[in-house]
Amino acid sequence: MAKYKPKLNPEIRLNLYRTMSECRALEQRAYDLFMQNLIKGTSHLALGQEAVASGFGNAMREDDYTFCTYRGHNHTYVRGVSMTSILGELMGRECGLLRGKGGSMHLMSMDHGALGSYAIIGAHLPIAAGAAWSAQYRGTQQAAVCFFGDGTTNIGAFHEALNFAVIWKLPVVFVCENNLYMEYTAISDVTAVANPAADRASAYNLDPILIDGNDADVVYETAMTALNKAREGEGPSLIEAKTYRHGGHSRADPGKYRPDEEVEEWKKRDPLDVYRKRLLKLGIDAKSIEKIDAETEAKIDEATEIAKNSNPPPLDIADTDVWADGSSTWRN
Amino acid sequence: MAKYKPKLNPEIRLNLYRTMSECRALEQRAYDLFMQNLIKGTSHLALGQEAVASGFGNAMREDDYTFCTYRGHNHTYVRGVSMTSILGELMGRECGLLRGKGGSMHLMSMDHGALGSYAIIGAHLPIAAGAAWSAQYRGTQQAAVCFFGDGTTNIGAFHEALNFAVIWKLPVVFVCENNLYMEYTAISDVTAVANPAADRASAYNLDPILIDGNDADVVYETAMTALNKAREGEGPSLIEAKTYRHGGHSRADPGKYRPDEEVEEWKKRDPLDVYRKRLLKLGIDAKSIEKIDAETEAKIDEATEIAKNSNPPPLDIADTDVWADGSSTWRN
Amino acid sequence: MAQLTYRDAVHAAIAQEMRRDSNVLFLGEDIAAAGGVFKTTVGLLDEFGKDRVRDTPISEQAIIGAAMGAAMTGLRPIAEIMFSDFFAVCWDLVANQIAKTRYMTDGQCSFPLVIKSANGGGSRFGAQHSQSIENWAMAIPGLKVVAPSTPGDIKGLLAASIRDPDPVLFFEQKSLYATKGEVPDDEHVIPLGKAAITREGDDVSIVALAAMVPRAEKAADILSNDHGISASVIDVRSLVPLDTKTILEDVSKTGRLVTVEENPRLCGWGAEIASIVAEELFWDLDGPIVRITTPHIPLPSADALEDAVLPSTERIVKDVLKLVD
Amino acid sequence: MAQLTYRDAVHAAIAQEMRRDSNVLFLGEDIAAAGGVFKTTVGLLDEFGKDRVRDTPISEQAIIGAAMGAAMTGLRPIAEIMFSDFFAVCWDLVANQIAKTRYMTDGQCSFPLVIKSANGGGSRFGAQHSQSIENWAMAIPGLKVVAPSTPGDIKGLLAASIRDPDPVLFFEQKSLYATKGEVPDDEHVIPLGKAAITREGDDVSIVALAAMVPRAEKAADILSNDHGISASVIDVRSLVPLDTKTILEDVSKTGRLVTVEENPRLCGWGAEIASIVAEELFWDLDGPIVRITTPHIPLPSADALEDAVLPSTERIVKDVLKLVD
Ligand SMILES: Cc1ncc(C[n+]2csc(CCOP(=O)(O)OP(=O)(O)O)c2C)c(N)n1
Ligand SMILES: Cc1ncc(C[n+]2csc(CCOP(=O)(O)OP(=O)(O)O)c2C)c(N)n1
Ligand SMILES: [Mg+2]
Ligand SMILES: [Mg+2]
C-alpha cells in the first residue's frame, strides 16, 4: 500500500478549526431553538464530538459519500450543506433540506455526497458498503465514510457489514465514535470487550485503530490514511475514535446517569478549546481565530433568521415522492 | 475455574461409538427412504459429522438443553429421541415426533431437552442464550448447547448472541461445526478470517477453541470442559469443530462443487472409521464393536418398519396448537 | 381508583405482575437504570433488583431471542422494543420463531411472553420512529396483538398479556403516554379479546384502535351534537384475538361501518374487519364500508405535515357525514 | 415463441436485462457459481462475469444494504433472498430504509432495485420455508410488489421490475418453478400494475395471485362445465401498483367477488381488495364478498396436512357454488 503522509499546513489547520467552530455554533443554535420551542420532535446533538466530523469532512474528496446517524447534523454540515437548510429542517420549514419530510434524524443531501442520516441502529453500515461497492464497480475511486456510535457495534448489521466489506475489499471507512454511552446506558455495561470497535477489528482481519476523537489533527490524519487506502483498492478500515457528548442523548435527556467528574474531565478536553490552544502554540495569530469565530457567528445568525422566517411546508408535499414519478399513487 | 478432567473409560468410549453408529444408521436410512420417495420435501444429512453430536450427546446432563439447525437429526437423536419418531417425522406420519407438523427441519423434543431445530440461519443462537439465562435465573446449573454451521458465523444474530451471552455470563456453549461449506459456497470465499468462529472469539473476550470435530474423544473432552465451565457460572464458550459432510447440502444437492480430492481426503477421516480403529488399538475387542453395529442395524430396521406402517397424520391436527389452549382460533 | 397517566399505568401493570409471580422478568434497552426512554418503567429496577430487570445492549435479536428461550423453559419474560419500528430488526425472531414454534412442534412448548413497544405517530419523530405496525403483527399466525387506548385498559390488558400463555405483542401508543384516566388500585386484569363499546349509537359503527379511539369518540360527540347522527364507537383493544361478535352485533344494528386506522392504508387491520363484515353481514349493511387510514405513505416529520396525514377528528366527522347523509 | 419453464423464464429476464444495461448487477447466496438453489440463475456468472454476478455470505442485511447503497449511487442491483421467509432477517433494510428513504429526503434519491425471492408453499418445506409474504410487502408504503403466475409473465414483469425506477419485491412462487408456458424470445417487457383477465365470466369474479391463479382457472372451468356458472378469473400480477380499474370493472359486471389468497388469513391482500370493493362498488354487489385463504396458521410440513390447508381448486368451486347458488 502506498503510504500517504498528510501535510498539516496552517491552511488545513484553520479549516479544521473553522469547521469545528461552525458545527458548534450550528448545534448550539439548534439547542437554543428547542428551548424556544421552535424545534419540535426530537434532536440528537453532537456537542463535544466536532473533531470527528471536522477531521473527516476536511479529508474527504467532494465526490466521496458519507453515511451517518440521527446524530448527524455535523456530518451532514461538513459536506457543504447550508446551515439554513439544516436549521430549517429541524424546524419543519419550507427552506428545510427535506422541506420537513425527514426531520432532524434524516438529513441527506445527494448533491453534497451526504447520503443520508439513518435512525435505526446499524442499518447504514451495509448501505455504506453498498455505495462503496458501486464506486468500486464504476471505478471512480470514491470512498464511502460511515459514522456510527459505540452502541452500534453490538447489533447484527455491524457484523454483517464489516465481514462483507472486507471480503469484497470495498472502499469504505467505518468510523465508530465511541462517546462511552448508548442512550442512557454505559457501553462498558453491555459489551464483551473494552474497545467496542477496535477490539473487534481482528474478527474481520482488520488492524485495530483506536484514536483520540477529540483531536482534529489525529482524526484528519487517520482519515487521510484510511481514505487513501480505500482509493488504492486496499479495502475497508474500522476506526474507533474516543470522544464524548457534552449534553444528553437527545432533547429529552439531561444526561444525569453520567458521573459529574467524568463530564468535567471530558469538558476539559473540549475539541475546540484543545485546538484553539494548539493553533496559538503553533504561532497562528489570535486574530485569525477570532475572525473565524466572528464569521461563524454572523453565519449562524443569518441562517437562523432565514429559517425562522421560512413558511411551514405546503401541505400537498405530504403525498408526493413515494415513487420516482413524484407521486404516492398505488392504484389506478 | 475448577478444571474438570474427563475420564475416558472404555464404557464412555463404547457409548461414543454406539451413538455415532446409530446416527450413521439413522441418516443412511433417511437417505434410502428419500430414494424410495417415502420422504417428501427436503432433508439435510450430517453424514460424516457424527462425532460432534456424539461427543456432546454423551457429555451432556439429561436436563441440559440443545438447540440445533435443520441439519439436526443427530443432535436430536443423541438426546434420547427414538429413531421411529424421527423417521416418522421425516416421512410425515402419525408416529412422527411432531406428527408431521414440523418436518425434517424442525425436530424438537421438550421431554428430552432437545429444544428445537431452527431452519432460519442464526435465530437459535440468541434463543439458546435465553434458555441459558433461564437456567441461570432458576439456579439449576443446566447448560444450553447450541450447534450451528460455519456459514452461520456471518449473520447478525451470531454476533448479538455471542456478545449477549458473554456480558450476562450465561451457561451456554456455542458449537460451530465447520464443514467448510455453506450450501454450495465455500466458507473461505465469503469470510474475512480463516477460522470463522475461532478467529472471532476474541471479539467477545473468549478464548479461541479450534478442535478436530471428527474425533469423538476430542469433542467429548472439549464438551465436558465447556459444560463444566458453564455450570460453574464461568460463562459461555465458543467452540469451532472442523468436520465435513460426506454428501451434498440437502436432498437436491449432489455436492459437485467440491474437489474430488477434498471429499476423498475427508472420507478417509470418517469419524466412525477413525474411532473403530482407535478402539481396537486400545484393546477393545472386535466383538463388542460388532455387537454394537448389529444392535444398531436391528434398531434402525425396526424403527423403519414401524414408521413405514404408520398412518398419515389425522387432518384435523392442521388447525390445532397455534395457541396454548390447543386451538387456532383468532376470533369469537 | 386513582387518576394515572397511560405511562404510569404501564408501570402499575408490570409492578403488579412482578410482585405476583417471580417468574416474570423484564429486559430491554435502557429500561432498568434509566427507567425507560418513555419513563414507563421507573422504579422497577429498585423494587425487583437486577436479576429481574435488566438493561441490554442494542441487540434486538438477542433481546427477543432471550425472551423466547426463557419463555420456553418456564419463565414469563417481558421484553421491550423501544420503538415499534425496530421490530423490523428482529422480525425473524418474532414472526418466524416465536410465532411458529409451538405449532411446528405439535404443541410441545408454549411462549408465555410479552413484547411491549411504543407505537404510532404524532410526536414529529419522522418515518422511522412513528409507524403503527399493529397490522404487521396481526398478519402473523401465532401472535396475539393488543393496543389499548386508556390508562385503565393499559393496566388491565398488560396484566392479562403477562399472564397469557401465548406470545403477545403489546403496543403502547406514544401519543397517549401523557393522557390520564381512572385506573383501579387493586389487582386489575381485563381478559384479552373483548372490544369495548365506548359510545352507543344507532346510525353508524365507528371501529377504532389506540390513539384513534379518542378521535373517534370526539367525532361521535360532534356528530351527535351538531348533526343529529348517533354513532357507536368500538375500541377494538385486541386485534388478536378479535372480538368479531361485538363488532358484528353493533354493525348489524347500525347498518354502517367506518374503521379508523393509524396504520398506512394497504393491508391494515381495518381491511380485515371490513372483509369480515362484507362477507358475514352483507345483507344487513345499509351502505358502503368506509376505511379511514393514514394514506399509504411513510410519515412525514414536520408538525404541519404529520397532522395533515394522520386521521383527524374532522376527517372522521366528514367521512361519516358523507356516508350517512 | 419458446416453451419455457417458469424457472428458466427467470433466467431469461435477468439475462435480457443484464445484456441491455451494464449497470444491472446481481447478488445473493449461491446464485453465481451454483446457479441458485432453485436453478433459476444457471449460466449468468459465465455470461456476465464475477464483477456483475456475485455470491455472498449468509448476511441478508448486508445483501440488501449493498443493493440499497448501489441503487442510490446509480446502479440497478438485483438481490436474491433465497426464501421469502428470510425477509424477516433483513426487514429493517427493506421496510424501513429502502421503502422510506426517497420520501423522507423529499425525493432526492431513487432506488431502482429488485429483490427477488422464492415464495409460497406446497413443497413440504415446513413453516419457515413456505410462507407467502406478499401481504407483508404490500403493507409497506414505498415498495412495489409483483408476483407472476406464468413463465411469460415472469419474463415480462421481471424485466419491467428491473427497469422500474422504484424498489420492487418480486415473488417467484416455488410451486410454479416447474410449470411451462409460452415465453417470447425477443425483448419482452410487461408494464407493472396491469392485472390480467385470464377467463371472462358474468356470474362471479375470482381474483387470484401466483400459484392460486391456475387453481382459480381450473375452478372456473369446473364451474362452467359442471355447474353452468360463468366465472371470470383475474390474475392480479402486481399488488402495488394495484390495477383496481380492471378489478372494479369486472366485479361491477359480475356483481360478486371471491378472492383466493395463499397467505394466511389476517390482513392478506384479499382483505385490501375486499375493502376497496365494499367501499366503492357496494351498490353494484349482488352478494357477500368471499375470501378464500390459507387458515391463519403456520404451514404444516407433511404432504397430507399441507394439501389440506392451502386453498384448493375444490374449495374454490365449493365456495363459489355456495355464493352463487
Ligand atoms: C435498532 C435500534 N434500536 C434502538 C434504537 C434506539 N436508540 C437510538 S440511539 C441509541 C443509542 C445509540 O448509541 P450509539 O451507537 O453509541 O450512538 P450515540 O447515540 O452515542 O451517538 C438507541 C438505543 C434505535 N434507533 N434503533
Ligand atoms: C437467514 C437464512 N439465510 C439463508 C438460508 C438458506 N440456507 C440454509 S442452510 C444454508 C447454509 C448454512 O451453512 P452452515 O451454517 O455452514 O451450515 P451447514 O448447512 O453447513 O450445516 C443456507 C444459506 C437460511 N436458512 N436462513
Ligand atoms: Mg454512543
Ligand atoms: Mg457449513
Side-chain angles (χ1 to χ4, degrees):
Chain A
M1 189 181 103
K3 276 267 176 281
Y4 178 91
K5 272 264 154 248
K7 281 200 301 288
L8 285 178
N9 59 38
E11 195 193 320
I12 291 176
R13 284 218 151 93
L14 284 173
N15 284 344
L16 285 167
Y17 179 74
R18 182 189 294 274
T19 309
M20 287 198 285
S21 163
E22 290 174 351
C23 287
R24 176 65 55 92
L26 177 66
E27 288 209 314
Q28 235 149 16
R29 185 57 50 89
Y31 184 80
D32 297 342
L33 291 167
F34 298 142
M35 291 297 121
Q36 298 163 41
N37 207 26
L38 283 166
I39 295 182
K40 312 278 168 28
T42 185
S43 182
H44 306 78
L45 304 180
L47 292 165
Q49 304 184 198
E50 295 87 352
V52 178
S54 176
F56 270 89
N58 282 288
M60 290 175 77
R61 229 163 70 174
E62 235 177 65
D63 63 347
D64 285 338
Y65 301 130
T66 43
F67 292 82
C68 58
T69 72
Y70 49 89
R71 197 182 304 290
H73 308 148
N74 293 344
H75 310 97
T76 307
Y77 179 72
V78 301
R79 300 311 310 280
V81 176
S82 77
M83 288 182 173
T84 309
S85 63
I86 292 176
L87 290 179
E89 188 59 28
L90 271 58
M91 293 161 77
R93 302 297 170 94
E94 193 168 10
C95 72
L97 188 56
L98 323 166
R99 291 194 296 169
K101 289 179 83 167
S104 147
M105 296 204 273
H106 295 294
L107 302 181
M108 162 184 280
S109 176
M110 289 296 288
D111 286 347
H112 297 91
L115 263 52
S117 307
Y118 297 79
I120 299 187
I121 297 293
H124 65 310
L125 281 79
I127 304 168
W133 174 38
S134 164
Q136 181 190 62
Y137 178 73
R138 290 179 286 109
T140 57
Q141 293 185 306
Q142 294 163 285
V145 177
C146 180
F147 301 97
F148 55 93
D150 44 285
T152 304
T153 62
N154 289 326
I155 203 163
F158 166 87
H159 179 65
E160 294 192 16
L162 263 292
N163 182 66
F164 192 83
V166 169
I167 58 170
W168 287 17
K169 269 207 170 187
L170 300 177
V172 54
V173 182
F174 294 106
V175 184
C176 175
E177 297 185 48
N178 181 356
N179 61 10
L180 313 190
Y181 290 85
M182 299 156 46
E183 295 207 358
Y184 313 147
T185 301
I187 189 67
S188 55
D189 288 350
V190 294
T191 310
V193 288
N195 303 299
D199 291 350
R200 279 150 171 175
S202 68
Y204 312 103
N205 200 20
L206 292 172
D207 294 331
I209 304 176
L210 186 62
I211 63 170
D212 179 356
N214 277 18
D215 185 324
D217 288 345
V218 169
V219 174
Y220 178 82
E221 292 179 12
T222 309
M224 275 298 195
T225 306
L227 288 165
N228 195 50
K229 175 181 169 192
R231 287 190 227 294
E232 300 273 330
E234 300 292 328
S237 302
L238 172 60
I239 296 165
E240 178 172 336
K242 283 240 182 178
T243 181
Y244 203 76
R245 60 169 148 75
H246 289 172
H249 165 72
S250 68
R251 186 188 190 185
D253 170 29
K256 287 293 169 219
Y257 41 86
R258 307 183 304 179
D260 288 343
E261 318 79 69
E262 182 185 284
V263 179
E264 281 325 301
E265 196 53 50
W266 278 95
K267 282 201 173 157
K268 275 188 216 139
R269 296 177 49 197
D270 181 313
L272 274 119
D273 292 346
V274 167
Y275 210 71
R276 214 180 280 112
K277 278 187 204 130
R278 181 174 308 160
L279 290 180
L280 292 171
K281 213 157 137 194
L282 285 169
I284 290 175
D285 77 41
K287 286 263 168 57
S288 333
I289 301 175
E290 281 155 25
K291 182 154 166 276
I292 289 175
D293 289 341
E295 283 165 3
T296 299
E297 201 58 28
K299 206 165 166 180
I300 188 69
D301 284 343
E302 189 195 337
T304 309
E305 232 20 62
I306 300 174
K308 269 187 180 171
N309 289 320
S310 176
N311 289 324
L315 295 187
D316 59 13
I317 69 169
D319 55 15
T320 61
D321 275 318
V322 171
W323 309 121
D325 70 4
S327 83
S328 63
T329 311
W330 52 268
R331 60 178 286 187
N332 55 9
Chain B
M1 190 181 102
K3 276 268 176 280
Y4 178 90
K5 272 266 154 248
K7 281 200 301 290
L8 285 176
N9 59 40
E11 194 193 323
I12 291 176
R13 284 219 153 93
L14 283 174
N15 285 344
L16 285 166
Y17 179 75
R18 182 188 295 274
T19 309
M20 287 197 286
S21 164
E22 290 174 351
C23 287
R24 176 66 54 92
L26 177 65
E27 288 209 315
Q28 235 149 16
R29 185 57 48 90
Y31 184 81
D32 297 342
L33 292 168
F34 298 143
M35 290 298 120
Q36 298 163 41
N37 207 28
L38 284 167
I39 294 181
K40 311 278 166 30
T42 186
S43 182
H44 306 77
L45 304 180
L47 291 166
Q49 304 184 200
E50 294 87 352
V52 178
S54 176
F56 270 91
N58 283 289
M60 290 176 76
R61 228 164 70 175
E62 234 178 65
D63 64 346
D64 286 337
Y65 301 131
T66 42
F67 291 83
C68 59
T69 71
Y70 50 89
R71 198 182 306 288
H73 308 149
N74 294 344
H75 310 95
T76 307
Y77 178 71
V78 302
R79 300 311 310 281
V81 175
S82 77
M83 287 182 174
T84 308
S85 63
I86 292 176
L87 290 179
E89 188 58 29
L90 271 58
M91 293 161 77
R93 301 297 170 94
E94 193 169 10
C95 72
L97 188 57
L98 323 166
R99 291 195 294 169
K101 289 180 82 167
S104 148
M105 298 204 273
H106 296 294
L107 303 181
M108 162 182 281
S109 176
M110 290 296 287
D111 285 347
H112 297 91
L115 264 51
S117 307
Y118 297 79
I120 300 187
I121 298 292
H124 65 309
L125 281 77
I127 303 168
W133 174 39
S134 164
Q136 182 189 62
Y137 177 73
R138 290 180 286 109
T140 58
Q141 293 186 305
Q142 293 162 287
V145 176
C146 181
F147 300 97
F148 55 93
D150 44 284
T152 304
T153 62
N154 289 326
I155 203 163
F158 165 87
H159 179 66
E160 294 192 15
L162 263 293
N163 183 66
F164 193 82
V166 169
I167 58 168
W168 287 18
K169 269 205 168 185
L170 299 177
V172 55
V173 182
F174 293 106
V175 184
C176 175
E177 296 186 49
N178 182 356
N179 61 10
L180 313 189
Y181 290 86
M182 301 157 42
E183 295 207 359
Y184 312 146
T185 301
I187 188 67
S188 56
D189 288 350
V190 294
T191 310
V193 288
N195 303 300
D199 291 349
R200 278 150 171 175
S202 68
Y204 313 103
N205 199 20
L206 291 172
D207 293 331
I209 304 176
L210 186 63
I211 63 169
D212 179 355
N214 277 17
D215 185 326
D217 287 345
V218 169
V219 174
Y220 178 81
E221 292 179 12
T222 310
M224 274 298 193
T225 307
L227 288 165
N228 196 49
K229 175 180 170 195
R231 287 190 226 295
E232 301 273 329
E234 300 292 328
S237 302
L238 172 61
I239 296 165
E240 179 172 336
K242 284 242 186 175
T243 182
Y244 202 75
R245 58 168 150 77
H246 290 172
H249 164 72
S250 68
R251 186 187 189 186
D253 170 29
K256 287 293 170 220
Y257 40 86
R258 306 182 305 179
D260 288 344
E261 317 81 69
E262 182 185 284
V263 177
E264 282 323 301
E265 195 55 49
W266 276 94
K267 283 201 173 159
K268 275 188 217 139
R269 295 178 49 197
D270 181 312
L272 275 118
D273 293 346
V274 166
Y275 209 72
R276 214 180 280 113
K277 278 186 205 132
R278 181 174 308 160
L279 290 180
L280 293 171
K281 213 155 134 194
L282 285 169
I284 290 175
D285 77 42
K287 285 261 168 61
S288 333
I289 301 175
E290 280 155 28
K291 180 156 170 273
I292 289 176
D293 289 340
E295 283 165 3
T296 300
E297 202 57 28
K299 205 165 168 180
I300 187 68
D301 284 344
E302 189 194 338
T304 309
E305 233 20 61
I306 300 175
K308 268 186 180 172
N309 290 321
S310 176
N311 288 325
L315 295 187
D316 59 13
I317 68 169
D319 54 16
T320 61
D321 275 318
V322 170
W323 309 121
D325 70 4
S327 83
S328 63
T329 311
W330 52 267
R331 60 178 289 189
N332 54 9
Chain C
M1 215 53 127
Q3 282 274 333
L4 283 191
T5 58
Y6 188 95
R7 161 179 288 122
D8 289 338
V10 172
H11 173 275
I14 298 176
Q16 169 183 299
E17 295 307 305
M18 291 190 80
R19 279 173 208 139
R20 181 176 170 270
D21 182 352
S22 67
N23 282 335
V24 177
L25 309 184
F26 183 30
L27 81 167
E29 294 161 19
D30 303 304
I31 56 109
V37 300
F38 294 104
K39 300 289 169 231
T40 56
T41 60
V42 177
L44 293 175
L45 173 63
D46 286 346
E47 183 173 354
F48 300 104
K50 63 186 180 29
D51 284 351
R52 296 183 65 193
V53 181
R54 303 196 69 160
D55 281 321
T56 69
I58 308 174
S59 306
E60 277 79 5
Q61 294 189 80
I63 294 170
I64 302 302
M68 176 170 173
M72 73 198 291
T73 53
L75 303 182
R76 292 188 169 266
I78 308 168
E80 177 169 298
I81 295 296
M82 195 186 285
F83 286 75
S84 66
D85 313 70
F86 311 160
F87 271 106
V89 301
C90 54
W91 199 234
D92 180 51
L93 272 301
V94 176
N96 287 334
Q97 311 302 337
I98 289 174
K100 294 178 172 54
T101 298
R102 177 180 169 76
Y103 181 87
M104 291 193 301
T105 60
D106 198 26
Q108 285 188 51
C109 46
S110 300
F111 298 92
L113 62 86
V114 174
I115 311 177
K116 68 189 277 299
S117 190
N119 192 51
S123 307
R124 291 74 173 96
F125 285 165
Q128 294 185 341
H129 283 70
S130 305
Q131 290 172 89
S132 285
I133 66 140
E134 57 274 14
N135 59 326
W136 301 11
M138 191 182 189
I140 307 297
L143 300 179
K144 293 183 175 172
V145 185
V146 178
S149 74
T150 68
D153 283 358
I154 278 280
K155 184 169 176 191
L157 291 169
L158 182 46
S161 300
I162 295 168
R163 294 186 194 186
D164 200 87
D166 292 311
V168 179
L169 265 54
F170 189 89
F171 293 104
E172 303 161 9
Q173 212 70 7
K174 283 194 283 294
S175 58
L176 297 175
Y177 275 131
T179 59
K180 287 193 160 183
E182 301 267 284
V183 177
D185 302 319
D186 295 342
E187 184 168 286
H188 182 47
V189 184
I190 302 174
L192 304 186
K194 290 268 158 255
I197 303 189
T198 70
R199 296 279 188 286
E200 298 270 1
D202 299 312
D203 299 328
V204 57
S205 305
I206 307 179
V207 175
L209 188 79
M212 296 300 103
V213 174
R215 294 180 186 202
E217 290 170 339
K218 222 168 172 184
D221 294 343
I222 294 171
L223 286 162
S224 156
N225 295 338
D226 300 357
H227 305 278
I229 291 171
S230 148
S232 40
V233 174
I234 300 174
D235 180 350
V236 190
R237 303 204 296 191
S238 133
L239 292 173
V240 181
L242 183 65
D243 185 359
T244 50
K245 194 157 162 285
T246 298
I247 296 169
L248 291 170
E249 268 171 23
D250 199 76
V251 177
S252 72
K253 185 179 73 179
T254 63
R256 290 191 188 84
L257 169 63
V258 173
T259 60
V260 190
E261 299 162 70
E262 188 172 327
N263 52 229
R265 162 90 201 196
L266 296 182
C267 297
W269 59 262
E272 184 58 46
I273 291 178
S275 76
I276 294 169
V277 169
E279 179 158 358
E280 302 179 23
L281 221 57
F282 180 76
W283 304 109
D284 297 292
L285 285 175
D286 296 327
I289 296 171
V290 174
R291 287 178 62 204
I292 300 173
T293 75
T294 297
H296 203 59
I297 57 171
L299 272 188
S301 166
D303 44 2
L305 299 176
E306 193 177 30
D307 289 341
V309 299
L310 292 172
S312 62
T313 299
E314 296 67 46
R315 193 163 144 221
I316 302 170
V317 169
K318 216 175 70 193
D319 286 2
V320 170
L321 284 177
K322 232 190 298 171
L323 174 66
V324 176
D325 277 3
Chain D
M1 211 62 122
Q3 282 275 333
L4 284 190
T5 58
Y6 188 93
R7 162 180 287 123
D8 290 337
V10 172
H11 173 274
I14 298 177
Q16 168 183 299
E17 296 307 304
M18 291 191 80
R19 280 175 205 138
R20 181 175 170 269
D21 182 351
S22 66
N23 282 336
V24 177
L25 308 184
F26 183 31
L27 81 168
E29 292 161 19
D30 304 304
I31 57 108
V37 300
F38 294 103
K39 301 290 168 230
T40 56
T41 60
V42 177
L44 293 175
L45 173 63
D46 286 345
E47 180 172 355
F48 301 103
K50 63 186 180 30
D51 283 352
R52 296 182 65 192
V53 180
R54 303 196 70 161
D55 280 323
T56 69
I58 308 175
S59 306
E60 278 78 5
Q61 295 189 78
I63 293 170
I64 302 301
M68 178 172 174
M72 74 198 292
T73 53
L75 302 181
R76 290 187 171 270
I78 307 169
E80 177 168 299
I81 295 296
M82 195 185 287
F83 286 75
S84 66
D85 313 71
F86 310 161
F87 271 106
V89 300
C90 55
W91 199 234
D92 179 52
L93 272 301
V94 176
N96 287 333
Q97 311 302 338
I98 289 175
K100 294 178 172 52
T101 298
R102 178 180 169 78
Y103 181 87
M104 291 194 301
T105 59
D106 198 27
Q108 284 188 51
C109 46
S110 300
F111 297 93
L113 61 85
V114 173
I115 310 176
K116 70 189 275 300
S117 191
N119 193 50
S123 309
R124 292 71 173 99
F125 285 167
Q128 295 185 340
H129 283 69
S130 305
Q131 290 173 88
S132 285
I133 66 139
E134 58 272 13
N135 59 325
W136 300 11
M138 190 182 190
I140 307 297
L143 299 179
K144 294 183 175 172
V145 185
V146 178
S149 74
T150 68
D153 283 358
I154 278 280
K155 183 170 176 190
L157 291 169
L158 182 47
S161 299
I162 295 167
R163 293 186 194 186
D164 200 88
D166 292 310
V168 179
L169 264 55
F170 189 89
F171 293 104
E172 303 162 9
Q173 211 71 7
K174 280 193 287 295
S175 59
L176 297 175
Y177 275 130
T179 59
K180 286 192 161 186
E182 300 267 284
V183 178
D185 302 319
D186 294 344
E187 184 167 289
H188 182 48
V189 184
I190 302 173
L192 304 186
K194 290 268 157 259
I197 302 189
T198 70
R199 294 281 187 287
E200 298 268 3
D202 298 313
D203 300 328
V204 56
S205 305
I206 306 179
V207 176
L209 188 79
M212 296 300 104
V213 174
R215 295 180 185 203
E217 289 170 341
K218 220 162 168 194
D221 295 343
I222 295 172
L223 286 164
S224 155
N225 296 337
D226 300 357
H227 305 279
I229 290 171
S230 147
S232 41
V233 174
I234 300 175
D235 179 351
V236 190
R237 303 205 294 191
S238 132
L239 293 172
V240 181
L242 182 66
D243 185 0
T244 50
K245 195 157 158 285
T246 297
I247 297 169
L248 291 169
E249 268 170 21
D250 200 76
V251 177
S252 73
K253 188 179 71 176
T254 63
R256 290 191 187 84
L257 169 63
V258 173
T259 60
V260 190
E261 301 162 68
E262 188 173 328
N263 51 229
R265 161 89 202 199
L266 296 183
C267 297
W269 59 262
E272 184 58 46
I273 290 179
S275 77
I276 293 169
V277 169
E279 178 157 0
E280 301 179 25
L281 221 57
F282 180 76
W283 303 111
D284 297 293
L285 285 176
D286 296 326
I289 296 171
V290 174
R291 287 177 61 204
I292 300 173
T293 75
T294 298
H296 203 59
I297 56 170
L299 273 188
S301 166
D303 44 2
L305 299 176
E306 192 176 30
D307 288 341
V309 299
L310 291 173
S312 63
T313 299
E314 297 67 47
R315 193 165 144 217
I316 301 170
V317 170
K318 215 176 71 192
D319 285 3
V320 170
L321 285 177
K322 230 188 301 172
L323 174 66
V324 176
D325 276 2

